[in-house]
Structure formats: structure tokens, C-alpha cells
Amino acid sequence: MDLQKYRNHLIQNIKNKLSEWARSEETELIPFKEVYRFLHSIKGTSGTLQLVGLVEISAELLSKLEGRVENWDKFEVKNFLYPLIEFIYKHENSNELANLNETVLYSNAPVIHIIDDDVSMLILLKDVLEGEGWIVITNTNPEKAVKQYFEMKPDCLIIDIHLPQKDGFQILEEIYEHNKKHFIPTIMISIKSSKETRMKAYQKGADDFFKKPIDLEEFVAKINRHLQRKKLFDESVLIDELTQVYNRKYLLESLNRFYQDFKRTKQPFSISIVDIDFFKKINDTYGHLMGDQVLRDFAQYIKKNVRNLDMIFRYGGEEFVIIFPKTNNVDAKKRLNELIRGFSQIEFTHNDNNFTVTFSAGLFTVDDMGIEISEALKEADSSLYEAKRLGRARVECLQMTSNTYKNNVLNISVIDDDIIIRSLLAQVLDSISIENFELNIKTFENGPSFLNSAHAKEEVNHFLILDGIMPEMDGLEVLQNIKQGKSVNKYKVLMLTGRNSKYEIERALRLGADDYVTKPFNVNELRVRVERILNTLK
């Protein structure tokens, strides 16, 4: 007897039932007896077909149903049946998953950014480098690549010299203005390796050069060495290169010192996290070099207008932390309001266009021995987001108000015609937490249902996981539709592609996808990658 044929038939029947429940109305309840009969049938049939893992899962789920009589909504059913969904995914992709690299990918893994219009080379390098436990983002479009570089803040940059529209030297020149203040190891690659080409690469700011075809073993070894150098550099420097104020590393040391002083003297100190308002819009409108100028001028303005005993640190991106020693929240709030008013009067000029900038501040005062530094920073951060919610260009301190803090909303959508993939990804996304953001997660069976949904039309930041191949409207059509819409800048798109779908990957990157993952994927690795992308939307 051909057991495999009957196993495939059982798996398909399970998927059909899950799809049927997923399509039900949100208010429609699924009878308890229907779920019970479903699992009982699976247990009996899977035993006959020698699917031992499926027998065990269905038996365990049946045991959890004992004593339950109420009906389910479709979300409860999906969550309850997740072990079954996970089993089917692994069963259907067992051969491919067995061959996936077993390297563990961590959330703090280094980010490698590759810019090359040779998609075959991108696919090869991405596979090899991610096998080392590094996160690799790729791009074929020079203009988008520069923007992506500033957003993702990679730990190593790899650029091909020969690119359309703008060659690698021009890209290097454009971002080197940023690299002057940040140590990002840069490697140029090219099919040409004359002395003149290599010298030009080094003169433009490259740290290394590789000729194509690339010796992958040497390539990996050199990148690893560059990443080690960057880590040592980052750990040894206390001053942020761009803004010339203290960096995050020194912030943690200083906060611990102030905290110990507070325990000794009982004199409170205040912590403020400040954020330049609409900084992304400044970058998009006037360019990243102008954005860097705003950051420098802002940091120096604060530095010159606080007391000598106050300290300013660059916390990350456009966020800074100010410590006000021996200061309560009333006095600190008064000083911050004065700083906001003064900074908002400064005019910046770009190509004869004048503009002004404001900032928002969240405040917390350490005046209780029971408060840990990590809690104090979290409270200041929550107050900052309250200031943004209430209109920006203001100071908020949740210690001084009874207002309830409300998270910003980040829409997340999964579009895939496979119920198993949709359910699996929804569970992964549901396990992710982005501080001060409410993740609004929805799944869609096809492109039209997503594009016509209210979810897609809301004016909020949006992260989209999109299957490349779907029957009604393929993912590339959906991506093209999004990128032509008025809300294009609010979207980040992760494409799901086949392992050997070079054309699909190439089209996705050229149409503006921010990253791609090949099916089948390692669930934990996908989670880390998604978290990194989501953090760029904050």
C-alpha cells in the first residue's frame, strides 16, 4: 500500500478544515464538538498511517479538551491547534528543513549589507554569510540601498563597483560622509582588480577589496575579522563620533554611578529621553547629510544650554538621554521646556529652503530606592511616547500625571494562500514585543483581500510578509501595487520566495522589497530577522 499518498490526503484534509475555520466570520463560533471530532478523526487515521508524531499531538490536544463544553472563536482554535500546525509545516518540508543551516541566529547578530545588481551573487553571499550566524540584507537598487543603509545601520557594508544608474564608488562617496563619524567596515567587490581600481576604492574609503569570482572561505574570514575590529572599536570609544557627546556605553556606566550616589546621599536625579520630532521626514526631504547636521547641531545646542553638571548622551539614532543630577521632576521639566522653546527657534538651511525642528522629551525622576535603573529608563521612554502621542514638542512625565499611556500602533499583515504558513507566521509575530508599540496583526489568504481591507488603508506604519507565488494575485503584483500607493514610505516588506526562485527574488528586490526569506524557513531565524526590521519602524 502506498501510505504516502494517504498521508498527503490526510494532511490536505486537515489544511482544508483549518482554512474553512479561518474564513469564518470573526463573530461566528466554532462548535466544540466539531473541534473534538476533528482531532478524534486525526488521531485514528494518523495511527493507521503510522504518523506517530501526529498521533501524539492529537492525543495531547484531545486530553486538553476534557471538561470543556463551550464553543470557540476562530482565533482560539488557531492558537489551540498550533502544535498541529507546526507539525504539518515540518512534515511537509522535512527534507528541506533537514538541510537548513543549524547556526543559531541571535537578535544582536551583526548586520551585513550587500549592494550588488547580480542577483545570483546576492543569493550566494546571503546564504554563505547567514550560515555564519549573521543577518544579511541585500539590495540591487543603488538609490534604495543608500536609504536602507541609513535605516538598518549595518555592521559591515559590501558594495559591487559596477552598478546601474550609480556605480559603487558613487555610493561609497555618498555614505562616506556618514562613515566619517561612524566606523562601518566597507568592502568593495568587482570583476576588475587593476591596481588603479583598487587604489580608487581605498581612496574613496573602502577597507578591503575582493575580485570576483570570490574565494568564499577567505571572504568569510576577512569579514569576521572586520566585525571583530568594529566590536573592539565600539567598546573602546566613549564619545559618539557624529554628535561629539557621550555614547550609550558611557551612559550605562554613568547611570550606575548616579544611582549609587543617590543611595548614598538620598538626593534624587532626573533622567530624560529626548527624541527629535519627525526626524525621518527630515532625512527623506533634505537627505541624510542634512539629517546628520541636525543631529550634530541638536547635540551641541543641548550641551551648551544645560548646566556643567548635567550630562547628555546619544542613546541611538535621533534619541538622546539627558541626566539632571540633584534635580526633581518639576525643575527638570521646566528646564526641558526652555530647551524645547530655544531649539525650535533655530533655523536650518538646505538649498535655500529654511526649516525649523522641535523635539519631544520623556522624564523620570529617581527618588525611590526600589527603582532600578532599567525601570527608570523604561518609565522615561514611556513618558516620551506619551509626549509624542499628545502632539510632540513637549515634555511629559507619567510620575506627574494620571493620564493612561497609550501605545503607538504598528500594523502587521501576512499574505499567503497556505493556511499553515499564515498560522505559523501569526504565532511567531504574536510572540514578538516591540516596546511602546501595539502590534496589530492580521492574516490574509490573497492579495485582493488585503488591498481592499481597512487594515491596508490605515495611515500607520505597516510591516508586510508577502508570499511571492499565489494563485489569485501573486506577491509581486501586490508589492507593485503597494509601492505605487501614496503610503509607500510607511511600508516595510519581507518577501517569502522559493529557494531557487532567482527571478522572483530579483523582481522583489527591484520592486522595493526590504528583505527576502526563502521557503522553507527556520522559525526562530525568521523571528530574529522580523524583530530587526520592526525596530527600524519605531
Side-chain angles (χ1 to χ4, degrees), residues 414-418 444-453 456 464-484 495-496 504 507 511:
V414 177
I415 310 176
D416 198 303
D417 61 314
D418 187 329
F444 299 88
E445 190 174 4
N446 54 57
S449 64
F450 166 73
L451 293 171
N452 294 323
S453 70
L464 178 62
I465 300 180
L466 178 59
D467 186 25
I469 303 296
M470 291 183 288
E472 192 166 342
M473 174 188 282
D474 70 35
L476 295 174
E477 291 180 83
V478 178
L479 178 59
Q480 194 165 19
N481 193 298
I482 289 167
K483 293 300 179 180
Q484 290 173 347
M495 289 290 293
L496 301 178
E504 193 180 323
R507 286 273 290 148
L511 284 171

Side-chain angles (χ1 to χ4, degrees), residues 49 67 154 182 195 202 237 251 263 348 384 387 397-398 536:
L49 298 176
H182 294 269
K195 181 179 179 180
Y202 295 131
V237 177
L251 166 66
K263 285 183 174 180
F348 293 88
L384 169 62
C397 178
L398 294 180
T536 70

